[in-house]
Amino acid sequence: MLNVIPPAFILLAGTLLLAVLPQRARAFAFPVFPALALAQLLQLPDGVLLTMPYAGWELVLLDADRLSRVFGTIFALIAFLGGIYGFHLKDRGQQVAAMLYASGVLGVVFAGDWFTLLVFWEIMGVGSLVLIWSRRTAAAGGAGMRYMLVHFTGGSLLLAGILGKLAATGDLSIGLLSVDEWYHWLMMLGVALNAAVPPLHPWLPDAYPRGTVTGSVFMSAFTTKTALYVLARAFAGWDVLYYGGIVMALWGVTYAILANDIRRILSYHIVSQVGYMVTAVGIGTEFALNGATAHAFSHILYKALLFMGTGAVLQATGRSKMTELGGLLPQLKWVFVLYMVAAFSISGAPLTNGFISKSMVIAAAGEAHHYAAVLLLLLASVGTFLSVGLKLPAGTWFGAKPADITVQPLPRNMYVGMGITAFLCILYGVWPTLLYNQLPTPVDYAPYSIAHLVEIANILVLTFVAYWIFRKKLAPHDAVALDVDFLYRKPAPLVRTVTVMGTNRVFAGFERATLWMASALAGLARNPAPALQSLLIGRKSANRREYNADDARPRLQYVMGLVLLVFVLGAYLGLR
C-alpha cells in the first residue's frame, strides 16, 4: 500500500508537521519531505494507482506516466533546493505556505480527473498567496489582493468549464480535449491565465517581485509551469496556443528590457520563456511536446537560480531597483558567479541546460515548417541575453556603488542552495541524455551540432556588441512601463466611484429614510392625537402644546368609573 501513496500527500503531511514543529526542527524538516516525495514518485509504475469513490464518480488521486513523472521530479527537486536556500527562515507562515504550495503542485501533476485537479489547483493558489502577503508590506498586500482576485477568476473559469463538460458528457477524466466545445474553451482560459498568456499575464510581474525572498523562488518555479503541464496534457495542438506563445516570448522580453526592478525583469522573463513552451504545446507534435517538457524542466532550475541570486541581493542590501544598486561585486562576487550560470542558461549558452532545451523548441518549430516562429523565438533569445545576461548584472554588480548602501552578510545555506542549483544547470547541459531519457517519448535530437553552436555564438557575441554600443541608452531608469493592466487600472477610480460609492450613497439614502420613518412612527406611538387631528382637520392645530406624558394621562375618576362600570356589567351578567 505504501507504494501508491500520492507524493502530494507526503507534502501535505509535511505541511501539518511544520505547523507545530519548533523553528530549528522546521528548518531541518523542510527539505526532508520534498526528498521523500521525490523518492516516492520516482518508483511509481505507470497507470492509475489510487482511486476514491465520491458522489457517484470515481476520483483518481494518483495517475502516473512519463509526463507527470518528469514534471513531478523537477517540482519536488526545486522544493528541496528551496528548502535548503530558505534554511535560515524563522517565519513559520512562509515555511508552511511553501510546503502547502508544493503539495498542491504535485497534486495537480498526478491527478487523474478534473475534480481532483481543481482541488489541488486551489490549494496551490492559497499557498502562493500567503507567500506574497508574508512580505508584510503595503505593496505586497495590494499585489496579493490582485493576485487573489485574478486567480479566483481563473479558478472560476476552470470550474465552469469542468461543470459544462460534466453536464454534457458525464466524464471527469483528464485527456486531450477538442476545440469544438465551448466548455473546453472556458477550461483553457482558466489554465492560460495561470500560464500568464497575454493579455492575462499582468498578475505575474505585479506579484512575484513583491513576494518574500524565498517565496518568489517557489513562485517562479511552480504556478506557470503547472499550468504548462495541464496545457500539454489536455490542450496540445490548439492553434491559439501557438500564436499566444509567440506573443508571450516577445512581449515578456520587451518589458524585461524596460524594467528597473531586478525581480520584475525576471518575472517578465518567466512570461517570455513560458512562451517558448506554450508555442511548442500549440504545435502539438511529439518532438514539440518533448521540447516543451525539457524546457520547462530546465527553466525551473535556472529561473529558480536567477531568483535566488536576485533574492540574495535583496537580502543583503534591502534594495531591488538597479537605479539604487551598483558596485556590489566585491561583497557579493559569489552571488554574481552563480547568478551568471543561470543567466547563461536562460540565454541558451553551450554547456548549460538552456542550450539543450530551448533549441529543441526552435527545432520543433522548424520541423513543423513554422519558420516565422523560428525567427521570432531567436529574436526573443537576443532580448533575453541583453536584459538578463548583460543589463541586469551590469546595473547590479558593476558601476559606482551608492554611498548610502550597506551590504549585510548572507546565510551560508543560501550559497549552498544556489551552488547545488547551478551545478544541476551545468550537469544537464553537459549530459543532455540525463534529461532526454526522462521525456514523455523517445528523443532523437543532438543539440551539440556545429550549426547550432555557430548560431548561438553569433547571437551571444552580436548581442554583447550591440549592448556595448548602446549601453548608455540602455541604462536603467526609475520609471514604470505601462502594461495592459493599465487599461483596467486607469479607469478603476471612476468605476469605484460609480459602482462602490454610488451603491454606498443609495444604501445611505435608504438608511436615512428608514431612520426618519422609525422616528416618525415612534412619535406617533407616543402621542397619536396631534397626528389624527391634522388628518381630520387638514392642518396642524395652532395652539397645540408640546406633548407631556403626565398631562396626557386620563384622570383618576375616569379610570375608576370605567373599572366600576366593568365590575357592574360583570356582576349583572354573572347573576343571570
Side-chain angles (χ1 to χ4, degrees):
M1 185 64 183
L2 292 177
N3 65 334
V4 294
I5 296 176
F9 286 14
I10 296 175
L11 296 187
L12 284 174
T15 302
L16 297 176
L17 190 59
L18 289 178
V20 297
L21 284 176
Q23 187 271 324
R24 192 66 177 174
R26 287 199 311 273
F28 283 99
F30 191 98
V32 169
F33 286 95
L36 292 175
L38 178 60
Q40 171 69 355
L41 68 88
L42 288 177
Q43 57 84 42
L44 291 175
D46 288 349
V48 174
L49 303 175
L50 183 63
T51 62
M52 182 183 74
Y54 177 78
W57 291 286
E58 195 76 8
L59 302 184
V60 181
L61 303 181
L62 181 57
D63 185 4
D65 62 7
R66 292 179 66 88
L67 180 63
S68 59
R69 191 176 290 105
V70 67
F71 273 93
T73 298
I74 188 58
F75 286 141
L77 179 59
I78 211 65
F80 171 77
L81 294 173
I84 295 175
Y85 180 79
F87 184 83
H88 63 284
L89 282 179
K90 298 180 181 180
D91 187 347
R92 186 189 305 270
Q94 278 194 66
Q95 293 168 317
V96 171
M99 188 68 74
L100 181 68
Y101 189 13
S103 70
V105 171
L106 287 184
V108 169
V109 168
F110 288 100
D113 67 90
W114 286 106
F115 182 80
T116 302
L117 183 146
L118 182 65
V119 171
F120 283 107
W121 192 266
E122 296 306 316
I123 290 175
M124 189 173 67
V126 172
S128 56
L129 175 62
V130 174
L131 290 177
I132 299 172
W133 277 341
S134 295
R135 183 86 179 272
R136 295 182 177 88
T137 63
M145 286 298 298
R146 293 186 291 273
Y147 181 91
M148 180 177 65
L149 292 173
V150 167
H151 285 275
F152 174 79
T153 302
S156 299
L157 289 171
L158 181 58
L159 174 61
I162 292 172
L163 293 177
K165 174 179 171 59
L166 182 62
T169 66
D171 182 19
L172 281 174
S173 62
I174 299 175
L176 192 61
L177 302 178
S178 69
V179 298
D180 301 326
E181 305 295 343
W182 62 268
Y183 43 83
H184 292 168
W185 281 91
L186 288 180
M187 296 166 71
M188 190 276 295
L189 285 173
V191 177
L193 190 149
N194 265 29
V197 178
L200 308 175
H201 69 287
W203 62 267
L204 195 157
D206 176 41
Y208 284 18
R210 295 184 169 96
T212 63
V213 169
T214 304
S216 290
V217 173
F218 288 96
M219 294 172 70
S220 72
F222 286 160
T223 299
T224 52
K225 268 63 72 180
T226 306
L228 189 278
Y229 164 80
V230 179
L231 291 176
R233 175 71 71 185
F235 303 97
W238 283 40
D239 288 341
V240 66
L241 295 178
Y242 165 75
Y243 295 108
I246 293 174
V247 172
M248 288 180 74
L250 296 173
W251 193 292
V253 79
T254 301
Y255 274 88
I257 294 172
L258 300 174
N260 180 32
D261 187 288
I262 54 179
R263 297 202 298 173
R264 189 173 176 86
I265 292 173
L266 301 183
S267 298
Y268 270 116
H269 270 292
I270 294 177
V271 177
S272 179
Q273 294 299 302
V274 174
Y276 285 80
M277 308 166 208
V278 172
T279 300
V281 171
I283 293 171
T285 63
E286 283 190 355
F287 187 23
L289 292 176
N290 275 337
T293 304
H295 199 44
F297 193 102
S298 296
H299 173 81
I300 289 170
L301 282 173
Y302 64 62
K303 184 60 69 172
L305 181 55
L306 288 169
F307 268 92
M308 288 178 182
T310 54
V313 172
L314 178 61
Q315 176 90 1
T317 66
R319 305 181 183 187
S320 61
K321 292 184 177 181
M322 288 186 290
T323 50
E324 300 173 356
L325 293 168
L328 299 180
L329 187 61
Q331 293 90 352
L332 298 176
K333 56 179 177 298
W334 285 111
V335 175
F336 168 72
V337 170
L338 296 169
Y339 170 89
M340 288 307 299
V341 172
F344 282 119
S345 296
I346 194 175
S347 304
L351 304 181
T352 66
N353 57 351
F355 178 82
I356 69 163
S357 61
K358 183 186 289 188
S359 59
M360 286 186 70
V361 174
I362 297 174
E367 183 184 72
H369 307 293
H370 294 294
Y371 301 116
V374 172
L375 294 175
L376 293 174
L377 293 179
L378 286 174
L379 178 62
S381 295
V382 174
T384 299
F385 183 52
L386 179 66
S387 54
V388 179
L390 297 173
K391 181 179 177 180
L392 192 155
T396 303
W397 281 277
F398 297 93
K401 180 182 176 183
D404 60 341
I405 196 170
T406 301
V407 180
Q408 302 294 332
L410 295 172
R412 290 183 179 179
N413 59 279
M414 296 181 76
Y415 286 106
V416 174
M418 287 187 285
I420 297 174
T421 310
F423 170 76
L424 292 174
C425 288
I426 296 173
L427 175 65
Y428 283 105
V430 174
W431 191 5
T433 54
L434 192 64
L435 174 57
Y436 291 170
N437 289 339
Q438 301 181 56
L439 298 179
T441 55
V443 177
D444 182 18
Y445 175 68
Y448 285 98
S449 64
I450 298 299
H452 186 206
L453 289 169
V454 171
E455 176 185 80
I456 293 301
N458 286 335
I459 289 175
L460 297 179
V461 171
L462 293 177
T463 302
F464 177 80
V465 171
Y467 171 78
W468 187 258
I469 294 173
F470 298 104
R471 63 188 183 280
K472 291 185 179 179
K473 293 185 177 181
L474 291 170
H477 301 282
D478 191 11
V480 177
L482 299 178
D483 206 336
V484 293
D485 56 340
F486 172 80
L487 298 176
Y488 54 83
R489 283 202 193 191
K490 186 64 176 178
L494 177 61
V495 173
R496 185 165 56 248
T497 301
V498 173
T499 57
V500 179
M501 300 303 295
T503 303
N504 286 344
R505 289 193 181 98
V506 170
F507 278 102
F510 277 110
E511 182 183 20
R512 288 193 297 269
T514 302
L515 292 175
W516 178 85
M517 291 177 62
S519 177
L521 289 173
L524 180 63
R526 281 192 312 167
N527 186 15
L532 294 174
Q533 183 182 23
S534 299
L535 180 64
L536 295 174
I537 301 177
R539 59 183 178 83
K540 292 183 179 180
S541 175
N543 59 351
R544 187 177 68 189
R545 294 179 298 169
E546 189 69 25
Y547 170 75
N548 186 293
D550 292 329
D551 293 342
R553 280 195 190 96
R555 297 186 181 278
L556 185 60
Q557 58 266 33
Y558 298 147
V559 175
M560 294 303 296
L562 180 60
V563 171
L564 182 61
L565 177 61
V566 171
F567 178 77
V568 170
L569 288 174
Y572 173 73
L573 293 174
L575 292 174
R576 292 186 63 189

